[in-house]
Amino acid sequence: MSNKIAVLAGDGIGPEIIAEAVKTIHCLQQDFGFEADLEYAAIGGAGYDQSGQPLPAETLEICEQSDAVLFGAIGGPQYDELPRELRPEKGLLNLRSSLSLFSNLRPAILYPQLADASSLKAELVAGLDIMIVRELTGGIYFGQPRGIRELENGERQGFNTLVYAEHEIERIARSALDIAMLRNRRLCSVDKANVLEVSELWREVVNRVAGEYPEVEVSHMYVDNASMQLVRAPKQFDVIVTSNLFGDILSDTAAMLTGSIGMLPSASLDKNGKGLYEPVHGSAPDIAGKGLANPLATILSLALMLRYSLQQPDLADQIEVAVGNVLDQGMRTADIAETSSSVGTSEMGDAVVAALRALA
Ligand code: NAD
């Protein structure tokens, strides 16, 4: 059955990096029997330029009807003065909430060839491959009541509410356990159950859902310890599941272990496994249009799409192997080059396609 993929290039380097991921899709179609229909649509600043909205209605409709969304990047200085509702970022936020994407996957993968790029010792991080699953639509970022109020003594007090309902915990636990089943079957749930009642409930519900997954080894860790362990011995983890706030912080720590933002893919999934796949980085206006951007984070996002939304784990593996082979050949874009010699965006994409073709 043909897969429907919505392709949203967006702004800045978005179109350049998406072009390389599309080349990779074409290679899968030609040499691996992969069936896909691509539908292109505008988002972010490009959406605003086209129709006055960062998420045009037509774009949302195309995404709703697709099996997965491949997303480049949005934003640029020319849009900074627009009212908040019309800014490019709003397009992405609205798309995530319209598609109910509550499960945010942030892998931290460090190809051994790039181990020197990490701020940690190479032996601690070479070959690192962990997945952080962050709850994306609940918790303290959305909890009510919230605000800044004036107390009786005239002093101001800021307040937010950390709430999770059982169904929210249940669905993120299930999403993470499904992911663990596709990986090394180890899940660490991170909370602060020694202090927070909401974490007590989190732990109880995670354990309950875990009962349905006897093959997965489930452990629990307090967030303060988890943040230490991530920089002390990160390779101990396979999949980590955690709340919105803790995941926000821990996934950035984990990302830094890998040293290069141009290498990091991400995904956001709904309860049926439909997802939006995008590089972690932004639209990099400083290098847009120069052919310098590293397309590997976007190509690796495509691999995640094949694994988690399109049920093609073998093709996902092949892409990841091809990227490793290209790095073995010494190919580097400027952001990951140790010497002054580097290749451009399309040369890197061509090299991945050639390496992929060699695996067919
Ligand atoms: P950025 O990630 O775009 O860039 C940070 C630095 O990393 C820049 O020096 C850039 O050149 C470099 N960089 C990023 N991606 C790269 C790649 N693939 N290859 C080589 N170098 C790369 O972050 P920023 O500069 O803070 O933000 C720029 C714009 O992107 C802003 O408008 C911001 O709102 C937007 N943004 C969008 C997203 C998204 O689309 N999801 C995420 C973050 C920021």
Side-chain angles (χ1 to χ4, degrees):
M1 201 182 70
S2 190
N3 302 286
K4 281 181 91 166
I5 303 176
V7 181
L8 314 186
D11 311 318
I13 59 170
E16 298 165 58
I17 52 178
I18 283 289
E20 303 313 311
V22 169
K23 268 185 202 168
T24 313
I25 295 176
H26 288 155
C27 173
L28 294 177
Q29 289 172 312
Q30 285 158 14
D31 296 337
F32 292 81
F34 177 59
E35 291 183 23
D37 295 320
L38 307 188
E39 282 224 60
Y40 294 83
I43 187 137
Y48 175 78
D49 290 342
Q50 189 193 73
S51 66
Q53 286 296 328
L55 176 59
E58 189 196 341
T59 300
L60 179 58
E61 204 181 311
I62 288 174
C63 292
E64 282 170 346
Q65 287 166 6
S66 67
D67 299 308
V69 180
L70 183 63
F71 188 96
I74 39 117
Q78 66 273 44
Y79 305 110
D80 284 352
E81 302 307 317
L82 288 172
R84 194 165 289 280
E85 279 306 303
L86 296 178
R87 288 210 200 133
E89 296 73 20
K90 200 69 189 165
L92 179 56
L93 291 175
N94 287 348
L95 182 59
R96 284 189 187 138
S97 69
S98 303
L99 297 180
S100 305
L101 305 175
F102 66 90
S103 176
N104 185 216
L105 278 51
R106 292 274 305 263
I109 300 166
L110 183 54
Y111 281 87
Q113 300 89 332
L114 302 178
D116 287 336
S118 174
S119 49
L120 294 194
K121 290 191 199 113
E123 68 264 25
L124 286 183
V125 286
L128 178 76
D129 180 0
I130 62 183
M131 173 69 83
I132 299 195
V133 180
R134 166 189 172 193
E135 200 290 325
L136 198 58
T137 54
I140 197 162
Y141 292 167
F142 296 93
Q144 293 290 346
R146 61 192 293 158
I148 298 174
R149 61 191 162 204
E150 197 168 309
L151 300 175
E152 275 174 15
N153 65 5
E155 188 188 7
R156 288 186 309 153
Q157 183 187 55
F159 59 101
N160 289 88
T161 308
L162 174 47
V163 279
Y164 271 112
E166 281 184 283
H167 78 273
E168 293 175 295
I169 307 170
E170 234 174 82
R171 66 183 183 182
I172 192 71
R174 195 158 273 126
S175 177
L177 286 155
D178 285 341
I179 287 160
M181 285 295 288
L182 294 173
R183 293 176 45 104
N184 294 321
R185 303 188 172 187
R186 285 187 297 115
L187 176 68
C188 178
S189 172
V190 170
D191 61 37
K192 191 71 185 166
N194 49 342
V195 179
L196 302 173
E197 285 80 359
V198 61
S199 282
E200 252 176 63
L201 182 69
W202 177 282
R203 203 174 264 223
E204 184 193 311
V205 175
V206 168
N207 280 336
R208 188 168 77 216
V209 181
E212 297 169 30
Y213 295 77
E215 299 97 327
V216 180
E217 181 194 319
V218 175
S219 59
H220 300 271
M221 199 180 272
Y222 298 137
V223 63
D224 39 347
N225 187 20
S227 74
M228 276 199 301
Q229 296 300 329
L230 268 177
V231 291
R232 193 188 71 84
K235 285 197 259 181
Q236 69 183 281
F237 296 109
D238 176 23
V239 180
I240 290 176
V241 63
T242 191
S243 61
N244 205 342
L245 171 65
F246 297 160
D248 192 2
I249 299 164
L250 294 181
S251 63
D252 270 12
T253 306
M256 268 326 291
L257 298 177
T258 72
S260 174
I261 197 167
M263 295 293 301
L264 291 173
S266 77
S268 306
L269 305 182
D270 75 1
K271 68 178 185 337
N272 302 314
K274 173 173 171 166
L276 180 140
Y277 295 82
E278 54 174 330
V280 164
H281 60 72
S283 59
D286 52 333
I287 55 167
K290 297 182 180 163
L292 294 175
N294 184 347
L296 293 180
T298 316
I299 292 173
L300 291 169
S301 300
L302 171 65
L304 292 185
M305 176 191 289
L306 290 159
R307 183 172 294 123
Y308 295 116
S309 284
L310 305 183
Q311 288 76 46
Q312 301 271 3
D314 294 346
L315 294 183
D317 291 346
Q318 303 278 43
I319 290 179
E320 287 163 1
V321 169
V323 168
N325 291 348
V326 164
L327 295 174
D328 275 340
Q329 292 159 23
M331 302 280 284
R332 303 279 188 275
T333 44
D335 57 310
I336 52 172
E338 282 160 37
T339 64
S340 55
S341 100
S342 58
V343 300
T345 310
S346 63
E347 276 170 281
M348 185 56 108
D350 290 344
V352 172
V353 167
L356 194 55
R357 206 153 263 157
L359 297 172

